[in-house]
Amino acid sequence: MFKSLLVPLDGSQLAEAALSAARRMAEALGAEVTLLHVIERDAPGAVHGDRHLTNPAEAEAYLAQTAQRAFPPGVPVATHIHTSAVADVAASITEHVGELGRPDLIVLSTHGSGGLKGMLFGSIAQQVVAQGHTPVLVVQPEGGATNDFACGKILVPLDGNPEHEEGICIAAELAQRCGGELYLLQVIPTVGTLSGERAATARLLPGVTGALLDLQQAEAEAYLRGHCEALLESGQPVHAAIRRGDPVKVITEVAQQSGADLLVLSTHGLSRMDAFWSGSVTPRLASALHLPMLLVPVAE
């Protein structure tokens, strides 16, 4: 499980929204934390209404104060300043994963360049996921709020592909450490919610397509039943559901109905800049929900 957390900060209050999640994860997992500040080349004087830290000494003082303020004495916290100015902050963050003892989770806010609300794959958060092999916990502050992070109810959308099951393992262990519940969800499209080539086929062969989707639902029931039995045997409370419809709409509805605290999604890197459903589910979910999202890179 995660034993070393990396938290990039730029000095803004929006970036600090990640601190609550980092503290909660560190306490639950017994992990150490490294606060990172990257000096940005030709940086603006302010970032999100706060002074942009471009001086190494000033940045070091800020990180030291933040470590003392945001984490209890029992959590080991280190600080690191990348003093050589860089143009690509996301690339620098991923490079530091190797330099700083290879932390196994990056925790950051969605406020980065481009903003996750508009397009996840244009943000620093998704660039970090795409460029590296380290899971990223993305916190979405609403209106600059820094709400306390919780992981009592963890929702894991699945598609039946074994490549995407790493998220189940991580979510299950996190739920155990936090004393939380696990919710597994598989969404089966309807004929009317298919997209791309499958939509074209559905228009030509609606009856055949409908029958195939029914078969897919039956397979999903067996797939989820197997995972639930294994999790229950290990003592992990788990709920599972299969729904029909548009993945983003259904996941959003289930997240709201279940009161989910955290969404765990598997995502591909540079070679496949999409989620495991067509239509790039991950960025659409980021726009629809304000939940923290744990993005788990899928090995290519």
Side-chain angles (χ1 to χ4, degrees), residues 135-292:
V136 178
L137 176 59
V138 182
V139 180
Q140 301 193 55
E142 186 176 2
T146 55
N147 297 327
D148 285 340
F149 174 82
C151 50
K153 296 181 179 181
I154 302 174
L155 176 61
V156 188
L158 298 165
D159 66 348
N161 188 334
E163 286 186 354
H164 305 134
E165 292 184 0
E166 179 66 18
I168 300 179
C169 300
I170 290 176
E173 186 165 356
L174 185 58
Q176 290 178 345
R177 298 292 187 92
C178 295
E181 296 178 307
L182 204 58
Y183 291 75
L184 305 182
L185 171 66
Q186 188 160 347
V187 182
I188 308 298
T190 60
V191 173
T193 58
L194 290 169
S195 61
E197 293 181 3
R198 298 183 73 190
T201 302
R203 286 193 293 270
L204 293 173
L205 302 168
V208 173
T209 302
L212 289 174
L213 291 175
D214 290 342
L215 178 61
Q216 187 177 345
Q217 178 167 341
E219 293 173 346
E221 291 172 357
Y223 173 76
L224 288 182
R225 188 182 306 116
H227 280 296
C228 286
E229 290 174 353
L231 289 165
L232 289 172
E233 286 180 4
S234 69
Q236 173 58 50
V238 60
H239 309 269
I242 298 172
R243 299 287 181 88
R244 300 291 292 263
D246 174 72
V248 172
K249 183 177 180 180
V250 172
I251 294 171
T252 300
E253 291 175 351
V254 171
Q256 294 170 342
Q257 293 167 0
S258 64
D261 299 310
L262 175 66
L263 194 65
V264 178
L265 285 170
S266 299
T267 182
H268 289 272
L270 286 172
S271 66
R272 287 180 59 188
M273 289 294 283
D274 63 346
F276 45 80
W277 286 285
S278 62
S280 297
V281 165
T282 309
R284 291 167 60 201
L285 280 173
S287 297
L289 289 170
H290 299 296
L291 289 179

Side-chain angles (χ1 to χ4, degrees), residues 1-6 21-33 101-107 133-138 149 151 154 166-175 177-178 262-265 293-297:
M1 198 53 181
F2 308 130
K3 288 298 182 182
S4 180
L5 315 181
L6 180 65
R23 180 183 68 249
R24 179 76 177 92
M25 295 286 277
E27 291 176 326
L29 305 176
E32 60 184 22
V33 178
R102 211 162 271 285
D104 40 29
L105 178 67
I106 300 173
V107 185
H133 304 283
T134 305
V136 178
L137 176 59
V138 182
F149 174 82
C151 50
I154 302 174
E166 179 66 18
I168 300 179
C169 300
I170 290 176
E173 186 165 356
L174 185 58
R177 298 292 187 92
C178 295
L262 175 66
L263 194 65
V264 178
L265 285 170
M293 301 173 68
L294 178 53
L295 305 180
V296 181

Side-chain angles (χ1 to χ4, degrees), residues 47-98:
V47 55
H48 308 291
D50 296 308
R51 183 179 177 186
H52 202 159
L53 301 177
T54 57
N55 179 278
E58 183 182 23
E60 183 62 57
Y62 163 75
L63 291 186
Q65 293 169 1
T66 302
Q68 186 174 16
R69 166 173 52 86
F71 296 91
V75 176
V77 183
T79 61
H80 180 80
I81 309 295
H82 185 74
T83 55
S84 299
V86 300
D88 189 339
V89 175
S92 182
I93 291 172
T94 58
E95 289 171 2
H96 279 81
V97 170

